[in-house]
Amino acid sequence: RPKRPEDDDSFKDEPWLITFDDFIAPEEANRLIELGGEEGYKRSTDVGVLKADGSYTDNVDSSRTSSNSWCLAKCMSDPVAQSVVNKIEHVTQIPQTNSESLQLLRYGEGQYYQTHHDLIDHQTNRPPGVRIITFYIYLNGNEDSGLEGGGTHFPRLNITVTPKRGRAAVWTSVLNDNPHKKDPRTEHAALPVTKGVKFGANAWIHQRDYITPNARGCA
């Protein structure tokens, strides 16, 4: 968060929401779109109900109509994918092991994700802890691909980040003085795409190592 004048109290308790234009190059954005297609886009789901083994079902809900794929082992061996996660690690200064795999997203015309929060409450007592930061990268934009709509809207902050190829938006999901507690002010929505197709890449960063416990089924 940029430093504010000491006498300006209006910003002291605001959550972090930072954008970086040209965070990745157009060629990198195009390659991530290709990788999403290679992995195969499927209907996006939310966390469902708790199962007997401690895991949760996937829930298809009308509040989220996008499709997504995950950049797993084969995808992550691609030098572009590795370069992008290295950049995220460099900016956040948080190890890659704390991040979930890149989620590659596709929103067709009319698709959206209604207002929601990225923090998942039941992860509070899981080994990785909760999601503390969302790092979202727009892979195409309103000015370069015929895309209309599809902004990321934060209703409590009255801010909408518009899609632009290579732009990254970064925000926190927890409070500065209590990193276990959700900051409701960063609720957000993916606004409907009114024309074209929107592509994005998303990294959710946790308090602790996510990769190791996830491989053991206890994330």
Side-chain angles (χ1 to χ4, degrees):
R1 177 170 53 186
K3 186 176 181 181
R4 303 290 184 177
E6 293 300 324
D7 59 350
D8 189 347
D9 292 331
S10 62
F11 292 98
K12 287 186 176 179
D13 296 321
E14 291 297 311
W16 292 24
L17 171 56
I18 303 168
T19 59
F20 301 91
D21 280 359
D22 303 315
F23 179 74
I24 63 172
E27 297 78 14
E28 293 175 306
N30 290 338
R31 180 55 183 154
L32 289 182
I33 294 173
E34 291 175 353
L35 289 171
E38 291 173 10
E39 291 292 304
Y41 291 106
K42 298 179 181 179
R43 175 66 184 268
S44 299
T45 60
D46 290 322
V47 177
V49 298
L50 179 65
K51 298 192 293 186
D53 64 358
S55 63
Y56 284 75
T57 61
D58 292 329
N59 181 48
V60 175
D61 193 273
S62 61
S63 66
R64 185 183 191 188
T65 60
S66 61
S67 58
N68 72 273
S69 61
W70 295 93
C71 190
L72 302 175
K74 181 181 178 182
C75 174
M76 276 308 302
S77 67
D78 187 276
V80 170
Q82 192 57 57
S83 172
V84 171
V85 296
N86 285 342
K87 290 179 183 181
I88 293 172
E89 180 182 54
H90 178 73
V91 167
T92 63
Q93 293 295 290
I94 299 174
Q96 290 181 30
T97 50
N98 286 36
S99 178
E100 298 178 34
S101 299
L102 278 179
Q103 184 186 49
L104 304 172
L105 292 147
R106 183 186 188 278
Y107 288 83
E109 196 164 307
Q111 293 185 332
Y112 55 84
Y113 192 175
Q114 293 178 354
T115 302
H116 62 284
H117 202 280
D118 290 337
L119 187 143
I120 298 174
D121 290 324
H122 76 253
Q123 291 181 328
T124 302
N125 298 317
R126 297 290 177 102
V130 296
R131 294 168 174 171
I132 57 173
I133 292 174
T134 296
F135 208 109
Y136 188 91
I137 306 170
Y138 300 91
L139 304 182
N140 66 327
N142 297 144
E143 300 174 355
D144 54 55
S145 64
L147 171 67
E148 294 181 7
T152 306
H153 180 59
F154 296 81
R156 298 196 185 204
L157 303 177
N158 194 29
I159 294 173
T160 299
V161 182
T162 56
K164 180 182 179 184
R165 189 187 305 272
R167 171 178 287 165
V170 186
W171 62 88
T172 53
S173 293
V174 295
L175 298 171
N176 279 344
D177 58 356
N178 187 350
H180 303 287
K181 187 175 181 180
K182 178 189 297 184
D183 188 339
R185 297 170 297 178
T186 52
E187 288 183 341
H188 56 282
L191 298 177
V193 171
T194 56
K195 183 179 179 181
V197 179
K198 170 189 167 184
F199 292 96
N202 186 71
W204 284 304
I205 300 172
H206 287 254
Q207 293 168 309
R208 298 179 290 276
D209 176 13
Y210 177 87
I211 298 298
T212 303
N214 184 59
R216 297 172 180 169
C218 54

